[in-house]
């Protein structure tokens, strides 16, 4: 079983550049991790993250001062962060987004060996870093998956119900479907995107070249058809598998998409605020109703009956302090009883005097008549 799956993965999914296109250098003066041969940039951070499967992956975070969205980019199967570095910088600038890219286990300077389940753990570690280190919220994150990167992208997107959006760039239906035109999903297939795309609840943009020789354009079209919340797709005429970024329509359409989903979120926030303001108008009536609640709580206490007595189990748990408390209550009870008798006697005597006085008054009135 495992051998078949590994065979499929080896033939299709993973071709990490060898050697890696970059080296990691620790700058002792600044305490920063740098990517050689690229110069240090103030808005770029390089980090190492530990995944739940025990590998250590390299991530690259690009900060934009005007960003309201964060793009989590999963690259293709024959690239690493060194090859994607300049593209990530350009995307952050043109789209006005923060961007995090990462190398899968076994790619670049990430440890371990490439596998389907490693990529799922890799993207989880990157997303967790966005939340915990950079303060990103799920509603601000756009997942971007290119080629094999559509696998971890859709796996995570299917489990995050409040994502801002998903971008699928030259995506695959599944690993097996890239090689064979199968009509159903087999247990040994990998990256079963065809089964996960219906579970994604946010807007989905699909970009695919019509002349893709690696992953046929039909993969992108079918994934778009299966999406719940479809956005106008981009079918690049003449585009191949690895050159779509060079088409002017690519950045133009991508920018339009991100602007649209950001405005859509702002509109939802404004609507929610308006609804809250409307509900606030009802507050005076609610406050009047709320004033009745203390009386209701008093009535409720009066209706409640004290328990018949502690259970056998609770009797065993009576502490010395509880015993003292009972003793105090017993003393208070006798004191109250004594006061009650005194009060009753006093009230009785007063009542008798009052009755006598009223009788005299009544006789006086009769005589005067």
């Amino acid at each position: 079983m495992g051998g078949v799956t590994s065979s499929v993965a080896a033939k299709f999914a993973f071709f990490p550049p060898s050697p890696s296109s970059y080296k990691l250098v620790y700058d002792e003066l600044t305490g920063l991790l740098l990517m050689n041969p690229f110069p240090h940039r103030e808005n770029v951070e390089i980090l190492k993250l530990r995944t739940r499967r025990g590998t250590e992956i390299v991530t690259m975070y690009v900060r934009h001062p005007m960003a309201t969205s964060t793009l989590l980019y999963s690259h293709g199967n024959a690239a690493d962060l060194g090859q994607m570095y300049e593209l990530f910088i350009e995307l952050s600038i043109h789209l006005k987004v923060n961007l995090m890219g990462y190398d899968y286990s076994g790619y670049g300077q990430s440890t371990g060996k490439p596998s389907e389940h490693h990529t799922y753990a890799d993207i989880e570690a990157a997303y967790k870093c966005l939340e915990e280190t950079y303060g990103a919220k799920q509603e601000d994150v756009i997942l971007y998956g290119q080629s094999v990167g559509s696998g971890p992208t859709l796996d995570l997107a299917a489990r995050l119900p409040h994502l801002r959006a998903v971008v699928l760039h030259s995506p695959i239906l599944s690993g097996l479907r890239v090689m064979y035109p199968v009509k159903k999903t087999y247990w040994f297939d990998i990256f079963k995107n065809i089964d996960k795309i219906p579970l994604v609840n946010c807007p989905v943009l699909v970009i695919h070249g019509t002349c893709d020789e690696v992953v046929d354009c039909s993969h992108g079209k079918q994934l778009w058809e299966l999406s719940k919340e479809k956005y106008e797709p981009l079918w690049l005429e003449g585009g191949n598998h690895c050159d779509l970024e060079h088409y002017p329509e690519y950045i133009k359409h991508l920018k339009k998409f991100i602007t649209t989903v950001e405005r859509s979120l702002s509109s939802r926030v404004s609507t929610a605020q308006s609804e809250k303001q409307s509900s606030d108008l009802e507050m005076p009536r609610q406050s009047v109703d709320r004033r009745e609640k203390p009386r209701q709580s008093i009535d409720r206490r009066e209706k409640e009956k004290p328990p018949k007595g502690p259970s056998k189990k609770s009797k065993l748990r009576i502490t010395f302090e509880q015993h003292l408390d009972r003793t105090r209550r017993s003393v208070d009870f006798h004191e109250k009883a004594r006061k009650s008798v005194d009060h009753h006697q006093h009230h009785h005597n007063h009542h008798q005097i009052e009755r006598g006085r009223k009788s005299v008054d009544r006789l006086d009135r009769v005589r005067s008549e």
Side-chain angles (χ1 to χ4, degrees):
M1 183 183 294
V4 176
T5 306
S6 299
S7 176
V8 173
K11 288 181 179 179
F12 161 70
F14 307 110
F15 298 97
S18 184
S20 170
S21 66
Y22 67 94
K23 301 287 185 183
L24 291 180
V25 178
Y26 180 75
D27 188 335
E28 294 183 357
L29 185 62
T30 62
L32 299 174
L33 200 60
L34 306 176
M35 285 180 64
N36 186 19
F38 304 101
H40 171 61
R41 293 175 181 262
E42 291 295 331
N43 67 322
V44 176
E45 290 184 64
I46 309 300
L47 299 173
K48 284 185 176 181
L49 306 176
R50 178 73 61 176
T51 75
R52 60 178 170 80
R53 294 177 65 90
T55 62
E56 195 172 55
I57 63 170
V58 180
T59 66
M60 168 184 173
Y61 183 77
V62 186
R63 192 188 306 272
H64 191 285
M66 305 287 289
T68 59
S69 297
T70 298
L71 206 69
L72 178 52
Y73 197 116
S74 301
H75 61 63
N77 68 348
D80 64 17
L81 283 181
Q83 296 173 353
M84 303 298 294
Y85 186 93
E86 294 298 338
L87 175 64
F88 286 170
I89 299 295
E90 292 298 317
L91 286 177
S92 176
I93 292 172
H94 289 291
L95 301 178
K96 295 181 180 178
V97 296
N98 300 319
L99 188 148
M100 174 171 276
Y102 64 100
D103 265 339
Y104 309 122
S105 298
Y107 277 69
Q109 297 299 319
S110 296
T111 65
K113 293 182 179 181
S115 76
E116 176 191 11
H117 292 286
H118 272 314
T119 65
Y120 297 156
D122 297 340
I123 194 172
E124 286 175 12
Y127 176 76
K128 184 178 179 182
C129 177
L130 285 178
E131 284 192 322
E132 296 181 356
T133 303
Y134 298 106
K137 298 179 181 179
Q138 188 178 148
E139 296 83 359
D140 301 330
V141 175
I142 300 172
L143 298 184
Y144 189 117
Q146 179 181 4
S147 185
V148 74
S150 61
T153 291
L154 285 177
D155 183 76
L156 183 61
R159 294 180 283 124
L160 296 178
H162 304 298
L163 282 173
R164 177 165 289 188
V166 167
V167 179
L168 300 176
H169 176 151
S170 305
I172 64 173
L173 285 168
S174 72
L176 192 59
R177 286 176 172 85
V178 174
M179 298 181 290
Y180 307 106
V182 295
K183 298 297 183 182
K184 64 178 183 178
T185 301
Y186 291 90
W187 58 265
F188 54 83
D189 201 352
I190 62 172
F191 297 126
K192 303 179 181 82
N193 292 339
I194 190 172
D195 299 328
K196 296 175 183 178
I197 187 69
L199 305 176
V200 177
N201 295 318
C202 61
V204 176
L205 166 64
V206 179
I207 303 172
H208 216 121
T210 60
C211 295
D212 194 321
E213 298 175 351
V214 178
V215 180
D216 191 79
C217 189
S218 61
H219 286 245
K221 289 182 176 180
Q222 192 169 345
L223 287 172
W224 182 77
E225 289 290 346
L226 292 170
S227 300
K228 280 183 184 177
E229 194 170 341
K230 302 174 180 63
Y231 184 83
E232 180 187 357
L234 179 60
W235 314 125
L236 285 168
E237 193 67 34
N240 209 319
H241 193 64
C242 299
D243 63 355
L244 304 187
E245 301 90 344
H246 303 300
Y247 286 76
E249 300 95 326
Y250 165 80
I251 195 68
K252 182 179 179 181
H253 198 78
L254 190 54
K255 190 172 184 178
K256 179 183 175 184
F257 174 66
I258 291 177
T259 301
T260 300
V261 296
E262 287 179 342
R263 285 177 179 172
S264 175
L265 181 64
S266 298
S267 177
R268 290 197 297 271
V269 171
S270 298
T271 302
Q273 290 176 343
S274 299
E275 291 176 353
K276 184 179 183 301
Q277 291 174 355
S278 297
S279 66
D280 288 344
L281 296 176
E282 298 297 322
M283 287 301 290
R285 177 61 194 165
Q286 292 173 359
S287 63
V288 172
D289 295 340
R290 194 173 294 116
R291 285 199 295 269
E292 297 298 324
K293 290 183 178 179
R295 177 60 196 167
Q296 294 171 2
S297 63
I298 292 171
D299 294 341
R300 190 177 300 113
R301 285 198 300 269
E302 291 172 352
K303 291 178 182 179
E304 291 176 353
K305 295 182 179 180
K308 294 181 180 179
S311 64
K312 293 181 180 179
K313 187 174 181 180
S314 63
K315 286 181 179 178
L316 296 176
R317 296 181 178 177
I318 295 175
T319 62
F320 180 66
E321 291 183 358
Q322 289 174 315
H323 175 72
L324 290 177
D325 187 60
R326 286 186 173 184
T327 303
R328 285 194 296 269
R329 287 200 299 268
S330 178
V331 172
D332 293 342
F333 173 79
H334 289 298
E335 182 66 20
K336 288 180 180 179
R338 185 184 62 79
K339 289 181 179 179
S340 176
V341 171
D342 294 343
H343 178 267
H344 177 72
Q345 184 63 38
H346 172 76
H347 179 74
H348 177 72
N349 294 339
H350 176 76
H351 183 63
Q352 292 288 359
I353 295 170
E354 185 67 20
R355 287 180 60 188
R357 187 182 62 80
K358 287 183 178 179
S359 298
V360 172
D361 293 341
R362 191 177 296 113
L363 288 172
D364 291 340
R365 284 199 300 271
V366 172
R367 290 170 182 170
S368 63
E369 291 173 359

